[in-house]
Amino acid sequence: MQAAATDKHTRKPHTNVRWKIGILMWLAISINYLDRANLSAASGDIMKALNINNAEMGIVMSAFFWSYMVFQIPSGWLADKVGHRISMALAVGWWSISTALTGLAHGFGSLIGLRMLLGVGEAGAAPSNSGIAARWFPDRERGRISAFYDTGTKVGTAIAMPLIVWIISHWGWQASFAASGTLGIVWVLIWIWYYNDPEKQKYVSKEELHYIRSGQKKQDGLDKEQPMKWYQLLKFRNVWAICFGFFALNYSIFFFITWFPNYLEQERGMAAMSMGFTAMIPPLAGIVGELIGGWVTDYLYFTRGKSITFSRKFNLVLGMLVGTVILFAGLTKSTAISVALLSLSYAGLAFAAPALWSIPGDMAPKNMSSTLGGIENTASNIGGVLSPIITGFVVSATGSFVSALIVSGLVTLLGAIAFAFWLGKIEPLTLKKHDVAKA
């Protein structure tokens, strides 16, 4: 028997407020990645202006992830407690101000401090979005909304390269941070005006609200009840499996967000404007991969009637295996082939992402989707901490990106293995009776 596709409540309503909220989620993530990729696009100018070498710039790029990683779980917990209207406005406002202030950096130490300040704010975006998706979208649309808003990670990265290079060429690197910071403040004003939970949103129709809630096995946001403490989620094998797999995915994908422009300039000898446009290609391939991935995981589950475990793991394992081709990108002398391999790798990693961001809604206990999203994103950003540092030191030691890209490919392969064999049946997490008594 096919899944919920045959249910009488699957008829779509005339209003689509949930997808308008989805557009705001997408814009937030796009601005998020535009702001964090700003440093990467401007790194050459900043290194010259502030007299920073490759190894030091690797530490600066990593500094963002120190605070970003630490504040993932607190941000997810806060979002589930106070609601996503407040949590997203606070997160985007914080990081936008931090971005604008980055233009005031005057040396290695101040740049690290400002990047850590940015990470505190940006930590709230991903956990909040996973919770918003769980509240506002029926289960049958979870893969697609996860794919849609997460394409903002690629759009923000792609736009950042040519846009920031153009701004820097006209007004200097400081102006690029002021411009991207301003975008976030505008977004906050729109979000506060429009967003609320489904039952409180003034523009949603009764038919759309019924369509959303009747299509959810677990209905978040109707009350504040949480069946367990956040740290009790760490008792489950599946949580550790998705954490490791997400770590492996991020280790490779953050090469594109941090070192890829330098790779094109230093390893491939590209001029600034050529680099800016070439750096758009892998993220654009990632957008295609992610949209296909979101459609595939929902299609397998709701149209083909496959289990949620098969539907998610299909994306995860296949996407990560394709992502391993990053290790060959540095071995070819052809710039075109290298960029093609990197683009294929990015598309594979992006294909896996919708399943990863759907899993908090699939597995989290009631009203804990943002909390679980924060936990898995904490682990993923250990990859964000390590990747730029290791890459920076490997490049400084060898004078080449070849070894660094091989390491990324091997880490990605380990992630595929973890998703295939460590991750078990995907189902809601529940405590055993003796664990409930201790809670």
Side-chain angles (χ1 to χ4, degrees):
M1 180 177 178
Q2 290 186 346
T6 59
D7 191 279
K8 67 179 180 178
H9 298 307
T10 60
R11 186 176 60 185
K12 294 186 178 180
H14 294 298
T15 58
N16 58 353
V17 171
R18 68 195 185 283
W19 285 103
K20 293 176 182 178
I21 288 171
I23 291 172
L24 288 175
M25 296 161 68
W26 176 85
L27 284 171
I29 297 299
S30 297
I31 296 170
N32 182 299
Y33 271 69
L34 172 64
D35 288 354
R36 71 171 71 178
N38 202 325
L39 180 71
S40 178
S43 60
D45 293 86
I46 293 174
M47 289 168 69
K48 292 176 184 177
L50 303 183
N51 195 27
I52 295 174
N53 61 35
N54 281 327
E56 290 172 330
M57 182 53 74
I59 295 173
V60 170
M61 289 177 174
S62 173
F64 163 86
F65 296 101
W66 305 345
S67 55
Y68 183 76
M69 179 179 64
V70 169
F71 279 86
Q72 283 294 310
I73 295 174
S75 294
W77 176 87
L78 180 69
D80 284 328
K81 284 294 184 181
V82 305
H84 301 100
R85 186 168 186 257
I86 295 174
S87 67
M88 280 293 278
L90 178 62
V92 180
W94 181 297
W95 90 54
S96 297
I97 293 171
S98 301
T99 297
L101 291 175
T102 303
L104 302 178
H106 53 79
F108 178 64
S110 61
L111 198 56
I112 286 179
L114 287 164
R115 292 297 288 182
M116 291 180 67
L117 195 65
L118 176 69
V120 173
E122 293 209 357
S128 289
N129 266 358
S130 63
I132 294 166
R135 292 188 181 189
W136 263 100
F137 289 82
D139 296 347
R140 67 184 64 89
E141 295 178 350
R142 186 169 292 145
R144 279 168 285 172
I145 183 57
S146 298
F148 176 65
Y149 77 70
D150 199 52
T151 59
T153 64
K154 288 79 183 173
V155 172
T157 304
I159 291 174
M161 300 309 170
L163 177 62
I164 297 306
V165 170
W166 181 80
I167 292 175
I168 291 171
S169 67
H170 285 76
W171 297 287
W173 66 269
Q174 294 91 342
S176 67
F177 290 96
S180 56
T182 301
L183 286 176
I185 298 301
V186 174
W187 183 94
V188 169
L189 298 177
I190 297 172
W191 179 258
I192 292 173
W193 164 70
Y194 193 75
Y195 181 82
N196 217 321
D197 283 343
E199 284 73 20
K200 300 176 182 178
Q201 219 282 344
K202 58 184 178 181
Y203 299 108
V204 69
S205 67
K206 292 181 180 179
E207 292 79 11
E208 184 175 12
L209 180 60
H210 178 70
Y211 173 75
I212 293 167
R213 290 308 193 185
S214 66
Q216 296 175 333
K217 293 181 180 178
K218 171 175 62 72
Q219 299 185 348
D220 282 0
L222 298 180
D223 54 43
K224 298 294 183 181
E225 179 187 356
Q226 293 181 330
M228 66 181 76
K229 304 295 184 182
W230 72 265
Y231 52 83
Q232 291 178 302
L233 293 169
L234 301 177
K235 293 177 177 287
F236 297 92
R237 158 188 162 177
N238 272 2
V239 172
W240 287 99
I242 62 171
C243 283
F244 180 81
F246 209 167
F247 156 82
L249 183 146
N250 255 20
Y251 185 95
S252 289
I253 215 163
F254 274 94
F255 166 78
F256 297 94
I257 298 168
T258 56
W259 279 108
F260 186 45
N262 294 74
Y263 169 75
L264 294 176
E265 289 183 323
Q266 295 182 26
E267 193 92 347
R268 299 296 174 176
M270 287 190 178
M273 286 305 297
S274 297
M275 175 276 290
F277 284 103
T278 303
M280 293 176 63
I281 298 174
L284 292 175
I287 293 172
V288 176
E290 185 141 28
L291 292 175
I292 294 173
W295 178 84
V296 166
T297 191
D298 282 350
Y299 173 78
L300 289 173
Y301 185 32
F302 291 103
T303 303
R304 300 296 297 174
K306 301 296 184 181
S307 70
I308 193 69
T309 301
F310 178 87
S311 302
R312 302 303 188 223
K313 291 182 70 169
F314 179 86
N315 277 52
L316 295 173
V317 177
L318 178 60
M320 294 295 282
L321 288 175
V322 173
T324 60
V325 301
I326 192 174
L327 69 86
F328 300 108
L331 300 176
T332 176
K333 294 182 179 179
S334 169
T335 298
I337 293 176
S338 177
V339 172
L341 288 170
L342 290 168
S343 299
L344 179 61
S345 174
Y346 206 142
L349 297 170
F351 182 85
L356 268 174
W357 282 118
S358 296
I359 283 176
D362 298 330
M363 292 202 321
K366 184 180 178 182
N367 294 325
M368 297 190 74
S369 295
S370 289
T371 304
L372 181 56
I375 290 173
E376 73 170 16
N377 213 29
T378 297
S380 78
N381 282 282
I382 296 175
V385 171
L386 294 179
S387 179
I389 291 180
I390 292 173
T391 300
F393 276 96
V394 169
V395 173
S396 292
T398 65
S400 170
F401 281 84
V402 173
S403 296
L405 291 172
I406 291 174
V407 171
S408 293
L410 294 175
V411 171
T412 304
L413 178 60
L414 291 176
I417 293 171
F419 286 137
F421 301 108
W422 190 359
L423 180 62
K425 183 179 180 181
I426 297 174
E427 58 186 352
L429 303 174
T430 56
L431 289 173
K432 297 179 181 178
K433 290 184 178 181
H434 69 275
D435 289 323
V436 175
K438 294 178 183 178

